[in-house]
Amino acid sequence: MRTMVATFTSPASTYFVRSCSMRENHDQLKQPGNTGIRTNGSFRSPIKVETLSQIAATTSTTLGQAVTIDKNCLRQNIPTKKQLVDPHRQGLITEGGVGYRQTVVIRSYEVGADKTATLESILNLLQETALNHVWMSGLLGDGFGATHGMVRNDLIWVVSRMQVLIDYYPIWGEVVEIDTWVGASGKNGMRRDWLIRSQATGHIFARATSTWVMMNRKTRRLSKMPEEVRAEVAPWFIEKQAIKEDAQEKIVKLDKEAKYMNSDLKPKRSDLDMNQHVNNVKYVRWMLETIPDQILEGHQLSSITLEYRRECGSSDIVQSLCEPEDDEILHGVVEPDYCTNLLNGLSSEIINGSGVLSYLEQRPSRYTHLLQIKGEKQNDEIVRGRTTWKRKIVTKPFST
């Protein structure tokens, strides 16, 4: 059993309480005068109380991670070598040494009123596992997922496109596995994909894919990938896709005539990430606030696609626009294939006796979104989006 260290501070000095290993405790108990302690009926062996200098003398490097000590606490520095297993994060390297898998328990603060994980929680888990993947690679610099070469060139990662498909939402207390890996996207970009599955049954809950490009941290302009950065990340690229797209469907730009609108949204300091711009999960929250209540209450989001145009800062005023794509059918502004599929579906339902109303109730609802920064002369786009919603289903744990 590993030695665990806790700390407390007195006015005079700092002490560390170290719980001993099972073997160490057993050896101590054999010494004369040592007695065990019973707490709530359970046997507990003695603990050691050590000063800062004593702990400093015995602390060593573990799992390739350098451990340093300051006056107040022990801090675990960013690893400089590749790790295969991270017991603290329940993570391990997969895919022949280049992929990453993390086991996660859905916590109470990650679920909504229906006891299923919220979309924001899922997006946060995707972001966390991506960063942990870079952490274990040994490439992480002092930036938000940036490599050492990126830090030297004042570069940061920014997401340009993201798509998430959700078949089932994990429930509170469910154990899931999240796989993530990276691949090339053109000459200067990187693709990152994810799979979320039930640990118990292997059922796929969600799939996600994203495209990332580099931005200069100082000028805030997009940048080409330097060769030293390419040399760092290219060995981790694999040819594997969580979502296969033959052709990316274009998201139209909304205007001030959009049916739903939420203006004067102001970022809070807590919305900023380590790159000093609004985190992309906040964008999704602003988008969903414009969805009608009857859709939110009776439906669940089954897919979301985001196309990022520019970053949003703490001083920007944001406007959220939303337009249902069903209205476009009435106005004839819709792609021919979509109309054909709709008519074929109607014909099938009528033939089967279900009727038009039944078909329309079961057909997924789609909404187009736009977040933009309000300006005196013109509004600058932040992100375009599309969401698809399907009727809520009763969520039950999968049987084994």
Side-chain angles (χ1 to χ4, degrees):
M1 181 178 294
R2 181 173 299 172
T3 299
M4 302 300 294
V5 180
T7 179
F8 63 92
T9 304
S10 68
S13 59
T14 300
Y15 295 89
F16 290 87
V17 178
R18 183 158 68 99
S19 61
C20 307
S21 66
M22 293 177 64
R23 179 178 296 277
E24 190 176 4
N25 287 337
H26 180 70
D27 293 340
Q28 287 180 348
L29 291 175
K30 291 192 300 183
Q31 297 178 6
N34 278 353
T35 58
I37 302 174
R38 289 188 177 273
T39 304
N40 295 332
S42 300
F43 181 81
R44 295 290 182 89
S45 54
I47 61 174
K48 287 184 176 181
V49 178
E50 299 177 343
T51 64
L52 180 62
S53 58
Q54 291 173 317
I55 286 289
T58 58
T59 304
S60 61
T61 301
T62 60
L63 291 175
Q65 299 178 9
V67 179
T68 60
I69 300 177
D70 59 25
K71 289 182 62 177
N72 300 313
C73 60
L74 295 174
R75 291 192 178 275
Q76 192 174 47
N77 289 340
I78 298 174
T80 57
K81 296 181 180 179
K82 179 180 177 180
Q83 301 178 65
L84 298 180
V85 178
D86 186 346
H88 304 296
R89 295 173 178 80
Q90 296 295 303
L92 70 156
I93 293 295
T94 61
E95 298 288 348
V98 294
Y100 177 71
R101 174 176 298 165
Q102 184 168 336
T103 303
V104 175
V105 180
I106 303 301
R107 295 169 171 81
S108 60
Y109 54 81
E110 294 174 324
V111 302
D114 58 357
K115 296 183 180 180
T116 64
T118 64
L119 176 63
E120 291 180 36
S121 296
I122 291 176
L123 294 178
N124 280 324
L125 288 174
L126 298 184
Q127 177 176 278
E128 180 67 13
T129 51
L131 290 172
N132 290 342
H133 185 198
V134 183
W135 176 285
M136 290 190 66
S137 71
L139 298 177
L140 186 64
D142 60 357
F144 196 38
T147 67
H148 299 287
M150 292 175 65
V151 173
R152 285 190 291 268
N153 287 272
D154 287 321
L155 297 175
I156 59 176
W157 287 114
V158 291
V159 59
S160 62
R161 191 176 188 274
M162 188 168 193
Q163 182 182 18
V164 183
L165 304 180
I166 304 176
D167 294 324
Y168 303 96
Y169 283 80
I171 62 174
W172 174 32
E174 192 157 22
V175 181
V176 299
E177 294 177 342
I178 305 177
D179 285 6
T180 185
W181 62 92
V182 292
S185 178
K187 293 182 179 180
N188 296 297
M190 183 181 74
R191 189 194 73 248
R192 177 174 285 280
D193 289 20
W194 296 265
L195 275 180
I196 302 179
R197 68 167 63 87
S198 165
Q199 186 191 57
T201 67
H203 282 87
I204 301 296
F205 288 147
R207 308 170 186 267
T209 186
S210 59
T211 305
W212 297 76
V213 293
M214 293 185 182
M215 173 188 285
N216 186 284
R217 182 175 57 85
K218 295 179 179 178
T219 65
R220 316 308 284 187
R221 293 181 179 274
L222 296 183
S223 171
K224 293 183 178 181
M225 183 183 295
E227 287 304 318
E228 67 170 317
V229 176
R230 193 184 310 278
E232 289 177 316
V233 299
W236 293 82
F237 289 172
I238 58 176
E239 292 294 331
K240 180 181 177 181
Q241 294 180 326
I243 301 174
K244 294 184 179 180
E245 292 182 290
D246 296 330
Q248 295 180 358
E249 188 178 358
K250 183 179 179 180
I251 301 177
V252 299
K253 180 182 179 181
L254 299 181
D255 55 28
K256 61 181 180 180
E257 302 300 325
K259 186 171 183 179
Y260 304 105
M261 184 181 303
N262 193 352
S263 299
D264 300 325
L265 298 170
K266 184 71 168 62
K268 300 177 182 178
R269 185 175 296 275
S270 58
D271 298 327
L272 303 181
D273 60 25
M274 286 186 277
N275 287 330
Q276 298 304 309
H277 58 213
V278 175
N279 189 277
N280 64 77
V281 177
K282 181 64 178 182
Y283 295 154
V284 174
R285 186 183 309 169
W286 284 337
M287 284 184 173
L288 299 189
E289 287 177 354
T290 59
I291 296 291
D293 290 341
Q294 58 268 33
I295 294 294
L296 293 176
E297 292 171 0
H299 295 71
Q300 62 184 16
L301 185 142
S302 58
S303 73
I304 183 170
T305 303
L306 301 167
E307 294 179 355
Y308 296 88
R309 304 287 169 152
R310 59 157 294 172
E311 61 180 341
C312 175
S314 59
S315 61
D316 293 323
I317 304 298
V318 179
Q319 187 178 55
S320 179
L321 307 177
C322 175
E323 181 74 21
E325 293 192 7
D326 289 349
D327 289 348
E328 294 183 351
I329 299 175
L330 301 177
H331 291 89
V333 186
V334 71
E335 298 177 3
D337 290 343
Y338 191 77
C339 289
T340 301
N341 293 336
L342 173 62
L343 293 175
N344 290 339
L346 285 173
S347 300
S348 175
E349 292 294 329
I350 292 173
I351 291 174
N352 293 330
S354 299
V356 176
L357 183 58
S358 174
Y359 173 77
L360 293 177
E361 287 179 346
Q362 296 177 13
R363 187 169 55 86
S365 300
R366 301 212 307 178
Y367 288 83
T368 301
H369 303 265
L370 173 66
L371 291 182
Q372 60 185 8
I373 296 175
K374 294 178 63 177
E376 295 181 0
K377 296 182 179 180
Q378 65 178 16
N379 298 326
D380 293 329
E381 291 183 78
I382 303 173
V383 57
R384 296 183 189 183
R386 176 183 289 112
T387 56
T388 303
W389 303 76
K390 63 182 181 181
R391 286 281 181 180
K392 277 188 177 180
I393 58 176
V394 178
T395 304
K396 296 181 179 179
F398 290 109
S399 58
T400 55

